[in-house]
């Protein structure tokens, strides 16, 4: 039993269709305390990435066998939709008609309010506070202001390189996708590891595929703030016990509606604020699902290089897997 499991009702079993069981605020606070790693590492604002050593990187490089490179970012999305309420911006600023002499140039402008559902992005440790505290117990109001964050900024993370594990739930369950609102429990994680012949290890990045991108292509967009597949909080103690350093998903890792009373993004709170684990939101894991199925393995070299934004709460990113 992972630390904190005794605090939660027993899930119904792998492949359950609901977002429950419900978790009270008292139970959630006890769970938060059980997975908290405050005071463990220096520098603290790199959080769980302090686990990753040169040996981890060398082992990740050894996962490369065919040299297949798989991108995981969604296209830059400028079209409003139920899951893109704040579309990204892209417009041309130079059409090659103002330079003299040669050569002419073409230039464009991009911008995004990226902490939403439409842009693939990394959440830094300053992005999430719980009960007014960032990771390591830093008071959010003391280190985050209109100029940005002075603790836990994305610039503290730098490029992230380690072994990635694709937890492909639809492949493990033999379904096309998980329905919005379907929770992934600790039992589901263990069953998926067995079905996919992969084991999550210390210092590794875990990417959860729910099939949401495929569902959107086939059935159309919906509002993922209302309902989306993702981890139930009872999966987090297992992930903490394994020593993961990053969580990513084709959603935002949280099952929605939230099963925790008064906490709209409980997995965000546990991962980022308690464990110091950054999150990757809105990945496109369809090509990676196909590539890992073809290769017959679900481990790979994982690389993501966020923008170096001093004080930034995260960054749009384009992660890659190399098999």
């Amino acid at each position: 039993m992972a630390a904190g499991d005794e605090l939660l009702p027993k899930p119904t079993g792998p492949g359950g269709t609901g977002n429950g069981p419900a978790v009270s605020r008292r139970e959630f606070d006890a769970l938060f305390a059980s997975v908290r790693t405050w005071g463990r590492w220096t520098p603290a604002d790199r959080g769980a990435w302090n686990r990753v050593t040169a040996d981890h990187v060398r082992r990740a490089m050894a996962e490369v066998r065919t040299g297949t490179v798989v991108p995981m970012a969604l296209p830059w999305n400028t079209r409003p939709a139920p899951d893109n309420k704040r579309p990204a911006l892209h417009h041309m600023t130079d059409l090659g008609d103002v330079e003299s002499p040669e050569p002419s140039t073409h230039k464009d402008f991009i911008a995004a309010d990226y902490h939403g559902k439409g842009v693939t992005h990394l959440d830094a440790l300053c992005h999430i506070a719980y009960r007014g505290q960032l990771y390591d117990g830093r008071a959010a109001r003391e280190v985050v202001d209109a100029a940005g964050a002075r603790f836990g900024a994305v610039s503290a993370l730098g490029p992230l390189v380690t072994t990635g594990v694709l937890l492909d739930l639809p492949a493990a369950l033999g379904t096309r996708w998980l329905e919005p609102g379907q929770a992934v429990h600790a039992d589901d994680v263990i069953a998926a590891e067995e079905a996919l012949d992969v084991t999550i290890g210390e210092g590794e990045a875990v990417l959860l595929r729910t099939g949401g991108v495929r569902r959107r292509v086939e059935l159309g967009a919906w509002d993922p703030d209302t309902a989306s597949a993702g981890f139930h909080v009872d999966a987090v103690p297992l992930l903490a016990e394994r020593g993961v350093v990053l969580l990513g998903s084709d959603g935002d890792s949280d099952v929605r509606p939230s099963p925790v009373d008064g906490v709209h993004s409980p997995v965000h709170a546990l991962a980022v604020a308690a464990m110091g684990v950054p999150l990757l939101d809105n990945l496109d894991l369809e090509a990676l699902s196909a590539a890992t199925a073809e290769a017959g393995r679900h481990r790979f070299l994982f690389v993501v290089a966020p923008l170096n934004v001093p004080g930034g709460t995260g960054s749009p990113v384009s992660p890659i897997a190399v098999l």
Side-chain angles (χ1 to χ4, degrees):
M1 179 180 294
D5 278 359
E6 70 279 8
L7 303 173
L8 302 172
K10 181 67 176 175
T12 56
T17 57
N19 70 322
V23 177
S24 71
R25 191 65 172 273
R26 179 189 62 80
E27 291 171 323
F28 180 76
D29 284 348
L31 178 56
F32 188 97
S34 76
V35 300
R36 190 170 55 197
T37 60
W38 296 359
R40 181 174 298 183
W41 294 298
T42 301
D45 57 358
R46 298 198 80 239
W49 272 87
N50 284 288
R51 293 183 188 272
V52 179
T53 66
D55 285 340
H56 287 91
V57 176
R58 284 191 288 268
R59 287 197 293 270
M61 296 289 290
E63 296 291 344
V64 178
R65 301 176 191 175
T66 65
T68 302
V69 178
V70 185
M72 291 180 270
L74 294 171
W76 197 250
N77 193 343
T78 61
R79 296 185 178 184
D83 55 354
N84 194 26
K85 298 172 184 176
R86 301 187 300 275
L89 303 178
H90 178 219
H91 63 259
M92 300 301 294
T93 58
D94 188 340
L95 296 178
D97 55 359
V98 296
E99 279 82 19
S100 180
E102 298 283 6
S104 60
T105 61
H106 305 92
K107 304 173 187 175
D108 55 356
F109 168 90
I110 60 172
D113 186 0
Y114 60 87
H115 283 300
K117 309 299 184 184
V119 176
T120 302
H121 67 269
L122 179 77
D123 290 343
L125 300 192
C126 62
H127 176 53
I128 297 293
Y130 182 64
R131 295 195 180 278
Q133 292 181 300
L134 301 177
Y135 178 70
D136 211 46
R138 307 300 175 99
R141 65 175 57 190
E142 294 178 3
V143 295
V144 183
D145 57 26
R150 295 181 298 279
F151 175 84
V154 69
S155 52
L157 291 174
L160 308 177
V161 181
T162 192
T163 300
V165 173
L166 180 63
L167 207 59
D168 195 337
L169 262 292
L173 295 171
T175 61
R176 296 171 69 79
W177 52 69
L178 306 187
E179 286 296 335
Q182 184 171 337
V184 176
H185 298 282
D187 286 354
D188 299 323
V189 174
I190 293 170
E193 286 181 313
E194 294 174 354
L196 302 172
D197 192 25
V198 67
T199 301
I200 298 165
E202 187 266 345
E204 298 182 347
V206 175
L207 308 181
L208 171 67
R209 176 176 175 260
T210 71
V213 171
R214 181 176 184 177
R215 187 183 191 279
R216 188 187 194 279
V217 169
E218 296 191 19
L219 301 182
W222 72 95
D223 182 359
D225 286 326
T226 300
S228 59
F231 286 115
H232 189 277
V233 296
D234 68 6
V236 176
L238 173 65
L239 299 170
E241 187 179 74
R242 298 291 182 84
V244 303
V245 296
L246 179 140
L247 290 179
S249 176
D250 49 12
D252 69 358
S253 294
D254 266 288
V255 67
R256 302 185 188 280
S258 167
V260 182
D261 181 37
V263 183
H264 64 79
S265 300
V267 172
H268 276 63
L270 294 172
V272 179
M275 297 163 54
V277 171
L279 298 181
L280 278 175
D281 295 346
N282 313 319
L283 297 169
D284 183 346
L285 298 175
E286 296 307 296
L288 184 57
S289 175
T292 53
E294 181 178 356
R297 54 194 178 92
H298 289 77
R299 298 169 64 83
F300 43 85
L301 171 65
F302 168 84
V303 181
V304 58
L307 297 175
N308 186 2
V309 183
T313 64
S315 170
V317 288
S318 184
I320 60 168
V322 188
L323 282 75

